Amino acid sequence: MTIPTDPETGEFKRAPNRFTARITADGADGWPAEAGRYRLVVSRACPWASRALIVRRLMGLEEALSVAIADPIQDERSWRFTLDPGGRDPVLGIEFLGEAYRAADPDYDGGISVPAIVDIPSGKLVTNDYPQITLDLDTQWGAHYRDGAPDLYPEALRDEIDEINRAVHRDVNAAVYEAGFATKQSAYDDAYRRLFARLDELSERLAGQRYLVGDTITEADIRLFTTLVRFDAVYHGHFKCNRNKLTEMPVLWAYARDLFQTPGFGDTVDFDHIKRHYYQVHEQVNPSRIVPGGPDLSGWAQPHGRADLGGRPFGDGTPPGPPPRHEVVPPQW
């Protein structure tokens, strides 16, 4: 895997999302939210893709929007479907996600990323715009939500959620990569400083309230969770984000456990996929490709005490039921 960094500054530069069409209730972009029409392609290793898995579970979209789980180890040809019989996705009939990208644009030669939503009839990629994908799953698929689905993006709180999301993206979600992929000390130092300053600020915010915005789970919590759940397993050591482990930050550790133990969160997390992807794919960071044995994961099941802060995880809604049998993650510990 080639990591794009600026040769002068040593800063990691993430490429912008190339395919940004939206799937909406009214189909204004030409892509209406229709049950059975699309396939969500994810890797359980990827934090951006994990957001979409969580939202899909919470909103009860499993029957309306099928999912393809890619092998956590991609090669130069892109994310691959080697977990499926014959090495092909059984619905799309392709071996590599890159095939859907090129079906949408035969001249495309950029990166192949997840999450990606593919139009099943044409085999064409619709979108890889991960920030918008979850917002649209939150708001545009209403005809297909389960009974009791929560409101993850309440209209009255959207400005505050958006503000938190911008800060968390810049200084947490993206900063861990900017620290880990930096090739000059100054680039690393800047990302490291921003990361832990923001985590300290979030700790203060969450010391007195159960969730980031309001008294229910929102899109903001999902976006922070997918970085926190990977922190000790990969970011602390592999990406040199090592001022503290998550388990050494009491408020954030309890907050992350609270979410992990909430239906729809921990039941989408696969630590085996996470560790194998980061340590075996990022050869520039880990040339030996050795996957470490730790950390001990059993702490994720320990009591968190966060319910004492009040809050209603699903608002006026209800928890999702168990995941479909074919999507159950193997026991983690």
Side-chain angles (χ1 to χ4, degrees):
M1 176 182 178
T2 302
I3 299 170
T5 55
D6 187 305
E8 293 187 7
T9 65
E11 297 174 343
F12 168 62
K13 299 293 185 182
R14 185 177 296 278
N17 297 313
R18 160 69 175 77
F19 299 88
T20 58
R22 294 180 58 195
I23 299 171
T24 58
D26 63 6
D29 272 13
W31 302 102
E34 296 179 4
R37 177 168 177 178
Y38 306 99
R39 190 134 168 99
L40 172 65
V41 181
V42 302
S43 164
R44 286 184 171 141
C46 173
W48 321 105
S50 291
R51 299 174 178 183
L53 279 176
I54 292 170
V55 171
R56 175 177 172 270
R57 280 274 292 123
L58 296 181
M59 306 309 288
L61 290 170
E62 292 97 329
E63 293 298 322
L65 178 62
S66 66
V67 69
I69 307 293
D71 192 307
I73 311 300
Q74 76 257 58
D75 63 24
E76 69 280 357
R77 292 167 292 182
S78 77
W79 295 99
R80 51 191 187 164
F81 297 106
T82 48
L83 302 181
D84 294 302
R88 288 184 181 273
D89 178 78
V91 174
L92 298 173
I94 58 178
E95 295 179 279
F96 298 94
L97 179 56
E99 296 174 54
Y101 274 68
R102 286 184 288 277
D105 180 358
D107 297 322
Y108 180 72
D109 62 357
I112 309 297
S113 63
V114 288
I117 297 183
V118 179
D119 177 50
I120 295 171
S122 68
K124 295 179 179 180
L125 177 73
V126 176
T127 177
N128 69 342
D129 189 6
Y130 62 87
Q132 193 62 51
I133 285 174
T134 51
L135 292 180
D136 286 343
L137 292 178
D138 291 340
T139 61
Q140 299 297 313
W141 287 71
H144 310 291
Y145 295 156
R146 66 179 176 88
D147 291 339
D151 187 352
L152 299 175
Y153 195 47
E155 195 161 353
L157 298 176
R158 288 183 185 179
D159 288 346
E160 187 176 0
I161 292 171
D162 291 345
E163 181 181 2
I164 288 285
N165 284 347
R166 284 190 292 269
V168 166
H169 176 82
R170 181 181 62 245
D171 298 332
V172 181
N173 305 144
V176 292
Y177 283 89
E178 291 164 6
F181 291 157
T183 57
K184 293 195 175 181
Q185 188 71 47
S186 59
Y188 165 78
D189 289 344
D190 175 69
Y192 177 97
R193 175 191 56 79
R194 288 187 288 107
L195 169 64
F196 284 101
R198 185 64 65 187
L199 290 179
D200 288 343
E201 182 181 295
L202 292 167
S203 291
E204 292 180 13
R205 182 184 184 95
L206 288 164
Q209 61 189 67
R210 191 170 179 185
Y211 303 112
L212 281 172
V213 182
D215 68 348
T216 65
I217 292 166
T218 67
E219 177 81 16
D221 298 294
I222 295 166
R223 295 189 182 199
L224 178 57
F225 172 78
T226 58
T227 294
L228 294 183
V229 79
R230 289 162 172 76
F231 203 88
D232 287 4
V234 289
Y235 300 146
H236 177 270
H238 184 59
F239 279 176
K240 307 180 184 69
C241 298
N242 62 353
R243 192 197 74 179
N244 304 99
K245 295 177 181 176
L246 177 64
T247 54
E248 297 167 347
M249 295 181 276
V251 171
L252 290 177
W253 175 221
Y255 165 79
R257 295 200 313 278
D258 186 6
L259 292 175
F260 185 89
Q261 294 170 31
T262 299
F265 283 81
D267 54 33
T268 69
V269 175
D270 191 323
F271 285 107
D272 173 65
H273 280 207
I274 290 168
K275 289 170 57 177
R276 286 196 290 122
H277 169 75
Y278 280 88
Y279 287 103
Q280 293 190 325
V281 171
H282 301 157
E283 293 185 72
Q284 289 172 254
V285 179
N286 184 39
S288 72
R289 302 182 76 237
I290 292 172
V291 180
D296 178 9
L297 300 172
S298 61
W300 285 100
Q302 296 302 310
H304 51 75
R306 296 284 294 178
D308 294 344
L309 294 171
R312 303 172 302 144
F314 300 98
D316 295 328
T318 58
R325 185 175 59 180
H326 61 281
E327 294 181 22
V328 172
V329 178
Q332 307 283 307
W333 57 83

